[in-house]
Amino acid sequence: MEETYLLNVEGVKKKILHGGRGELPKLQDGSKFTFHFQTLKDDFERTVIDDSREAGMPMEIIVGKMFKLEIWEMLLSSMRIGEVAEFWCDTIHTGMYALVSRGMRRIAEGRDPLEGQKHRCGMGNMFDYHSTGYDDLDELQRTPQPLIFIMELFRVEDPSAYKRDTWAMSKEEKLAAVPVLHSEGNRLVLRREFAQAAAKYQEAVICLRNLQAKEKPWEDGWLKLESLVTPLVLNYCQCQLELGEYYEVLEHTTELLQKHNDNAKAYFKRAKAHAAVWNEREAREDFQRVAHLDPSMAAAVKKELKQLGERMRKKHVEDRKRYQGLFQSSHGL
C-alpha cells in the first residue's frame, strides 16, 4: 500500500512506493549504504536528471563521512532494506546537487571526479565552480529548485563487514594500509601477476597522496610521505613496463622526475619506456643520466644501450625494405 508522510525534517516529504523488510538498520559511523537512485525535477514532466541504473552502478555512501549532500544520509536512515521510497526535498537541501552529480557522472564515465580542480589558480577554480561541464547541471546551479529522489536501498553494512575504500579511511588507517599494500604488491610481482600488483601499489600511492594533500608542500610532513610515495610509483612503473604500458610509464616517471631530478631509477625506467616506443634520442639521454647519477648501474646501462642500438639498426633495415617495396610497387603502376 502506498503511504505518504512527512519526515521530521523541514522541507522533506516521503512516500513509500514499496515496503522494505525487517527493522530500520542500526547505524554507526562508517556504516555503508548501497542503493540505486533516480533524481527528478519537480515539474509537470518529472524530468529525469540522473539515474544510477542507466549509469550501470549502484551508489555507495558512508555514514559520518560528510557526504556533500547530507540530506541523503538522513533519507536513507529512514529506510528499511528492500524499500523503495520517493522523497521530495525543498531547495534548502538540494543546493549542492549539481556538484555531487558532476562527480558521479565523471566516475561513471571513467574520468577523475576532481578533473579540472587540480593545479589551478583560484580564478580557474571559480570558473570550474560556475561551469560543471553539463548544461542541465549548470541550469540547476543558476536556478536552485526542489528535487525528487527515488531511492531503493539494497544493503547496509557495518564498518567491519566491508573493505574500506581509501577515501573513507582515517589518517591512521591509511598509514597502516600502506605497508600492507606494498608487501601485497611485492608478493604479486613474485608471482608475475603484474596487473594485480600495480593495483596494490596504486592504492597505496592514493592513500599517501590523500594525506599529502593536507600537508604543506616540501615541508617535513610532506617530504616524509613523499619518501614513501617514490618507491611505490617506481614499483608501479616496473609493473607497467612488464605489461607493455609504456606511455603510462613515461607519464609517471616524468611527473616523478619533475620533483626529484636526481632519481636514477626513474630515469632508467623512463629510458626503457622511450626505447620501447622508438624514442631513440630520449632513451639514450636518459640512460646516460642514469650512468652519471649512479655509476653502479653503468653495466646495466651499457647492456641496455647495446640492445637499443641493435633494435634500432634492425628497424632501419626493415624500414628501408618496406620503403623500397612501396617505391617498386608504385613505380610498377
Side-chain angles (χ1 to χ4, degrees), residues 112 118-119 202 205 209 212 218 222 226 229-230 233-234 236-237 247-263 266-267 270 274 286:
D112 181 350
K118 294 182 269 189
H119 311 302
Q202 186 177 43
V205 169
R209 291 294 190 213
Q212 263 191 323
W218 303 105
W222 189 93
E226 185 68 14
V229 167
T230 300
V233 172
L234 291 171
Y236 175 82
C237 288
Y247 290 101
E248 181 94 352
V249 177
L250 291 175
E251 179 185 343
H252 288 285
T253 51
T254 298
E255 185 180 340
L256 193 63
L257 287 164
Q258 285 169 350
K259 297 177 188 170
H260 312 286
N261 63 3
D262 60 348
N263 192 304
Y267 279 119
R270 189 171 75 171
H274 274 310
D286 278 354

Side-chain angles (χ1 to χ4, degrees), residues 192-258:
R192 300 192 65 77
E193 296 177 17
F194 297 113
Q196 295 89 329
K200 296 293 182 184
Y201 295 136
Q202 186 177 43
E203 190 175 348
V205 169
I206 290 169
C207 284
L208 293 168
R209 291 294 190 213
N210 286 345
L211 294 172
Q212 263 191 323
K214 297 177 176 64
E215 302 284 345
K216 287 187 177 179
W218 303 105
E219 293 195 357
D220 286 348
W222 189 93
L223 288 168
K224 283 177 184 174
L225 293 167
E226 185 68 14
S227 70
L228 299 174
V229 167
T230 300
L232 287 162
V233 172
L234 291 171
N235 287 0
Y236 175 82
C237 288
Q238 184 59 42
C239 290
Q240 297 303 325
L241 280 174
E242 298 286 352
L243 294 165
E245 299 290 346
Y246 304 119
Y247 290 101
E248 181 94 352
V249 177
L250 291 175
E251 179 185 343
H252 288 285
T253 51
T254 298
E255 185 180 340
L256 193 63
L257 287 164
Q258 285 169 350

Side-chain angles (χ1 to χ4, degrees), residues 176-204:
V178 168
V180 175
L181 291 164
H182 198 157
S183 63
E184 285 178 358
N186 293 348
R187 179 177 55 80
L188 289 162
V189 166
L190 291 173
R191 289 163 49 180
R192 300 192 65 77
E193 296 177 17
F194 297 113
Q196 295 89 329
K200 296 293 182 184
Y201 295 136
Q202 186 177 43
E203 190 175 348

Side-chain angles (χ1 to χ4, degrees), residues 16 18-22 79-84:
I16 294 177
H18 183 277
R21 57 185 181 274
M79 297 177 69
R80 292 170 168 78
I81 304 300
E83 181 179 320
V84 181

Side-chain angles (χ1 to χ4, degrees), residues 42-264:
D42 184 22
D43 56 13
F44 181 77
E45 296 84 5
R46 287 169 62 96
T47 306
V48 176
I49 300 170
D50 289 307
D51 188 334
S52 62
R53 284 187 175 80
E54 285 189 7
M57 63 176 77
M59 183 71 181
E60 296 176 348
I61 64 174
I62 309 294
V63 173
K65 288 298 176 184
M66 295 180 69
F67 181 61
K68 282 182 182 175
L69 205 65
E70 292 179 26
I71 192 64
W72 273 18
E73 187 176 314
M74 201 170 295
L75 304 183
L76 291 160
S77 300
S78 77
M79 297 177 69
R80 292 170 168 78
I81 304 300
E83 181 179 320
V84 181
E86 177 178 310
F87 299 92
W88 177 90
C89 294
D90 206 350
T91 309
I92 57 170
H93 300 297
T94 62
M96 292 293 288
Y97 184 77
L99 295 180
V100 171
S101 176
R102 176 182 67 172
M104 292 188 296
R105 290 183 188 187
R106 285 181 168 174
I107 290 169
E109 292 164 5
R111 296 163 61 193
D112 181 350
L114 300 178
E115 180 185 318
Q117 295 182 25
K118 294 182 269 189
H119 311 302
R120 287 289 196 81
C121 65
M123 188 66 72
N125 281 330
M126 279 176 62
F127 178 77
D128 278 338
Y129 179 82
H130 289 298
S131 177
T132 64
Y134 302 92
D135 290 343
D136 59 336
L137 299 183
D138 286 347
E139 181 199 341
L140 279 183
Q141 282 205 132
R142 285 192 299 270
T143 56
Q145 56 197 271
L147 295 173
I148 296 165
F149 303 113
I150 300 176
M151 295 177 161
E152 180 179 2
L153 181 60
F154 295 133
R155 58 181 174 272
V156 178
E157 297 168 274
D158 290 338
S160 59
Y162 65 92
K163 181 179 180 294
R164 302 291 293 278
D165 292 322
T166 299
W167 64 267
M169 292 180 181
S170 67
K171 178 180 179 179
E172 292 72 23
E173 287 171 328
K174 287 173 184 170
L175 284 172
V178 168
V180 175
L181 291 164
H182 198 157
S183 63
E184 285 178 358
N186 293 348
R187 179 177 55 80
L188 289 162
V189 166
L190 291 173
R191 289 163 49 180
R192 300 192 65 77
E193 296 177 17
F194 297 113
Q196 295 89 329
K200 296 293 182 184
Y201 295 136
Q202 186 177 43
E203 190 175 348
V205 169
I206 290 169
C207 284
L208 293 168
R209 291 294 190 213
N210 286 345
L211 294 172
Q212 263 191 323
K214 297 177 176 64
E215 302 284 345
K216 287 187 177 179
W218 303 105
E219 293 195 357
D220 286 348
W222 189 93
L223 288 168
K224 283 177 184 174
L225 293 167
E226 185 68 14
S227 70
L228 299 174
V229 167
T230 300
L232 287 162
V233 172
L234 291 171
N235 287 0
Y236 175 82
C237 288
Q238 184 59 42
C239 290
Q240 297 303 325
L241 280 174
E242 298 286 352
L243 294 165
E245 299 290 346
Y246 304 119
Y247 290 101
E248 181 94 352
V249 177
L250 291 175
E251 179 185 343
H252 288 285
T253 51
T254 298
E255 185 180 340
L256 193 63
L257 287 164
Q258 285 169 350
K259 297 177 188 170
H260 312 286
N261 63 3
D262 60 348
N263 192 304

